Amino acid sequence: MHEFESSSAEKLHLEHEAAKLFMRSYEKSTGHEIRHIWHNQPIRPDVSCELEGERLDLEIAHLYGSEQEAMKILGRNLTDKTRDELKQQACCSNVHQRLLNALNRILTNKAQKHYDSKKVWLVIRNAHPAWTADSITHLRQQIDVPTHHPFEQIWIVADLKANSGIVQLFP
């Protein structure tokens, strides 16, 4: 298998897993039925599902704490772009400040995208073991959600397995 094919398959797996965790947690916390999952082509958000029978598109992002952690979680070497972003995060020794910096960078980057979708939510899956729903909720007022973005809602799966739940960042 070519590395691109392997990387592409890995990306789909991570997106699918993040979407499943989000959907399970969302349904549990809100009581709204969210079902089915399928992957989309690049012009559309990563994943689609049905929220109470209506199509909902999910753009998926992952948040890592360090280059080493991302490599361990992904089981491979990172792209130069991902490595550079993680190195920028690592310069800050305060884990909560790193969380804020990383979240704000993801939100800024995703806000610039445009999707062929009527209803799209951004779901960010946190992979850093020190960050939980409580710490994210505590820092919520400091998270900089851009004024203009294509998302109806923005959520974060607060830990790798969604054990501490999900946190809504917008609205």
Side-chain angles (χ1 to χ4, degrees):
M1 186 180 299
H2 293 90
E3 185 169 323
F4 176 78
E5 291 171 349
S6 174
S7 177
S8 179
E10 177 183 46
K11 182 179 183 297
L12 288 176
H13 171 74
L14 288 169
E15 290 168 355
H16 185 86
E17 187 177 28
K20 278 191 339 186
L21 289 168
F22 169 75
M23 290 166 57
R24 192 176 311 134
S25 295
Y26 180 84
E27 188 170 283
K28 183 179 178 181
S29 66
T30 67
H32 296 285
E33 185 175 277
I34 189 166
R35 295 279 189 261
H36 311 298
I37 185 171
W38 62 94
H39 291 277
N40 293 315
Q41 298 301 316
I43 194 166
R44 299 193 61 83
D46 298 317
V47 174
S48 293
C49 58
E50 291 181 357
L51 175 60
E52 299 199 323
E54 292 186 29
R55 183 184 179 125
L56 170 63
D57 293 318
L58 303 175
E59 177 67 12
I60 306 292
H62 281 80
L63 182 60
Y64 302 100
S66 69
E67 180 178 351
Q68 293 78 15
E69 183 177 55
M71 288 172 57
K72 181 179 177 185
I73 290 166
L74 296 173
R76 66 170 170 82
N77 290 328
L78 304 175
T79 65
D80 289 340
K81 180 181 177 189
T82 301
R83 187 174 286 109
D84 289 343
E85 288 180 8
L86 291 169
K87 283 180 183 175
Q88 289 176 17
Q89 289 178 31
C91 70
C92 182
S93 62
N94 180 315
V95 70
H96 298 297
Q97 190 59 51
R98 283 190 3 233
L99 169 62
L100 284 172
N101 293 346
L103 275 176
N104 289 337
R105 187 169 17 269
I106 288 171
L107 292 168
T108 298
N109 290 342
K110 294 292 184 179
Q112 298 171 25
K113 296 195 173 213
H114 300 282
Y115 303 98
D116 181 17
S117 174
K118 293 180 182 175
K119 185 175 189 171
V120 60
W121 293 2
L122 174 60
V123 175
I124 302 166
R125 182 184 185 195
N126 170 41
H128 193 285
W131 300 336
T132 65
D134 287 342
S135 57
I136 294 164
T137 300
H138 177 72
L139 297 169
R140 199 169 176 182
Q141 297 303 319
Q142 299 173 50
I143 296 170
D144 185 23
V145 176
T147 305
H148 302 288
H149 58 77
F151 307 109
E152 185 177 282
Q153 295 186 28
I154 300 173
W155 292 84
I156 185 163
V157 177
D159 59 77
L160 197 57
K161 301 290 184 188
N163 292 329
S164 66
I166 56 177
V167 177
Q168 188 171 11
L169 300 179
F170 177 84

